[in-house]
Amino acid sequence: MPIQSHFPALAGGFSFLDNAAGAQVPQQCIEGMAQFLATSSCNVGMPYPGSQAATAVRERTREETAAFFNCKPSEVAIGPSATALTFILARAFARLWGEGDEVVISELEHEANASPWRNLAEKGVQLKVWKARWAEGGRLEPADLRALVSPRTRLVAVTSAANSLGTTPDVAAAAEIAHSVGAWCITDMVHYSPHHLPDVQATAVDMAFFSAYKVFGPHLAFLYVREELIGQLPTDKLWFIPDDSLLKFEPGTNNHECMAGWLGTLDYLRSVLGDGKPGREGLQAAYRQIEAIEQPLVDQALKRLQSVPGLQLYGMPTPQGRVGTFCFNLPGQPPMTVAERLAKLGVGVAAGHYYATMPMQALGLWPDGALRASIAHYTTQADLDKLIAGLQGQD
């Protein structure tokens, strides 16, 4: 059974190559949401069946997402979006840090991992930028970070995969450097997690986040915070929520139907791609499949894009050190104009800055930005064919 057949939105033949903005969802995700709404659209914590079902969905979501992160369930917070969760964190940091403290962010960040920390300047926190080496395709060199940090550094923020260029920095090295001066390290896994399985233990980061809708799920997000740090973060919370509970990062009622959908997505990953294996083992098997499917597509897409006359490709020119997100422009053609032409040909790509303001400014592409084509494991050879034909001006 072809992978594409599990995704109803792909049945129409449209070539969806804007996966970095949000992936399509499998049937199991849709069924999970529908079943929850049809049978148990209730709140949590009460003894009647509908509430018990909602409570079970929430707790299972925390457990399953902990397996996804490779952490404890008590270290997982659930929120409406990655940006909402990082702004909640920033309000906590604003109560801890002030004049003379420093935060370092990489130049490749999506603004969800930049703007919240920029706002700390209102408290006197100094922001430093870990510059990318643009002559080397936008690579982040750990030695450059080491030269930036100091005993006053409180946080290092670095993406696991840039949503603009697809670059995958050495996050473990960044965390080690941050810890060497007593700082915390947070990583944005939003654009990494559709392509590679997160592992917060292997990278030794203190905080991490991703969005389920980038990983073939519905619109909700998750935040990992290392257990020892939870009680140190003074959040806006209801007075009776314990200081050492990540519930303090979850104001209000969570979206339970989206959680049910996310559980359906995880079931898809394990049952269809993961040989039916349970737990993290099934996810690891699924991601081995995803990586095996995507790697040849990444290699082929890079070669074919660079063969289009005049096309300017930004970022790493080889498959190493990147995921299947490709940023480029055609000479003399505004990005949105090209995207509109491709849409008429049945190909969906992004155009603009996609909230990656620093890379666009560094590349001299602000404010119009660039085109972005991004693959997923359900991308096909035919999708790439249509993209290249459209870029070459063929109907």
Side-chain angles (χ1 to χ4, degrees):
M1 191 175 182
I3 286 173
Q4 294 73 24
S5 65
H6 294 275
F7 293 81
L10 300 179
F14 188 84
S15 292
F16 192 77
L17 291 172
D18 193 17
N19 295 285
Q24 300 306 302
V25 302
Q27 186 66 34
Q28 288 97 320
C29 174
I30 298 167
E31 290 174 356
M33 295 179 73
Q35 182 179 16
F36 180 87
L37 291 170
T39 62
S40 57
S41 184
C42 305
N43 216 324
V44 300
M46 295 298 117
Y48 58 86
S51 180
Q52 289 179 326
T55 303
V57 163
R58 186 182 71 173
E59 295 317 305
R60 187 176 161 221
T61 294
R62 214 178 297 280
E63 292 167 2
E64 294 278 24
T65 307
F68 193 83
F69 270 130
N70 195 20
C71 68
K72 302 174 184 176
S74 59
E75 296 175 314
V76 176
I78 306 167
S81 70
T83 305
L85 287 168
T86 53
F87 271 107
I88 288 173
L89 267 181
R91 288 194 290 274
F93 294 155
R95 292 171 174 152
L96 294 175
W97 306 330
E99 200 73 38
D101 293 324
E102 301 170 353
V103 168
V104 179
I105 64 175
S106 96
E107 198 173 19
L108 299 184
E109 300 309 307
H110 181 288
E111 282 300 309
N113 203 27
S115 283
W117 324 136
R118 294 181 201 280
N119 290 354
L120 297 174
E122 298 171 3
K123 299 293 183 177
V125 176
Q126 181 185 358
L127 183 77
K128 293 181 177 180
V129 178
W130 177 12
K131 298 282 189 179
R133 295 191 176 188
W134 295 106
E136 301 174 25
R139 187 175 67 84
L140 289 173
E141 169 55 51
D144 298 339
L145 172 62
R146 195 174 294 278
L148 275 181
V149 298
S150 79
R152 299 299 300 174
T153 304
R154 300 292 173 252
L155 181 74
V156 171
V158 59
T159 185
S160 290
N163 79 307
S164 53
L165 306 176
T167 311
T168 52
D170 188 342
V171 174
E176 185 276 325
I177 292 167
H179 295 157
S180 72
V181 293
W184 297 335
C185 183
I186 184 168
T187 187
D188 174 354
M189 290 183 159
V190 173
H191 300 277
Y192 180 89
S193 51
H195 310 288
H196 304 290
L197 184 62
D199 190 339
V200 296
Q201 301 305 317
T203 54
V205 293
D206 303 288
M207 290 160 254
F209 58 91
F210 76 94
S211 299
Y213 77 98
K214 302 296 175 70
V215 194
F216 329 113
H219 284 80
L220 77 164
F222 300 97
L223 171 69
Y224 157 77
V225 178
R226 185 161 54 84
E227 191 170 49
E228 306 90 277
L229 301 183
I230 297 170
Q232 301 178 39
L233 297 170
T235 63
D236 296 320
K237 68 179 182 68
L238 303 179
W239 69 268
F240 54 85
I241 301 296
D243 286 336
D244 61 354
S245 169
L246 271 184
L247 288 176
K248 67 186 184 181
F249 288 98
E250 301 177 13
T253 300
N254 279 317
N255 189 324
H256 299 110
E257 61 266 32
C258 281
M259 293 184 212
W262 171 237
L263 292 174
T265 294
L266 294 173
D267 177 63
Y268 157 78
L269 289 171
R270 291 192 180 102
S271 63
V272 176
L273 300 175
D275 301 324
K277 296 176 181 177
R280 187 167 171 88
E281 183 184 5
L283 296 174
Q284 290 170 325
Y287 272 87
R288 285 194 292 270
Q289 284 259 49
I290 287 173
E291 290 164 359
I293 292 167
E294 290 188 358
Q295 196 55 53
L297 287 171
V298 173
D299 187 43
Q300 182 185 148
L302 280 170
K303 290 176 181 176
R304 297 186 70 181
L305 284 168
Q306 292 177 90
S307 73
V308 175
L311 184 142
Q312 175 66 56
L313 178 71
Y314 309 104
M316 309 290 277
T318 62
Q320 289 72 39
R322 59 144 56 242
V323 294
T325 297
F326 312 101
C327 181
F328 56 92
N329 270 324
L330 290 175
Q333 301 184 52
M336 189 57 72
T337 300
V338 179
E340 289 168 350
R341 185 176 80 239
L342 289 171
K344 292 176 182 177
L345 299 174
V347 180
V349 299
H353 58 72
Y354 10 96
Y355 296 82
T357 63
M358 289 185 289
M360 292 300 155
Q361 290 169 333
L363 289 165
L365 301 175
W366 185 264
D368 292 336
L371 291 152
R372 182 186 66 187
S374 46
I375 69 168
H377 69 284
Y378 49 65
T379 302
T380 66
Q381 175 73 50
D383 295 327
L384 291 183
D385 291 343
K386 286 168 66 175
L387 170 66
I388 298 304
L391 293 173
Q392 291 175 332
Q394 303 170 22
D395 294 332

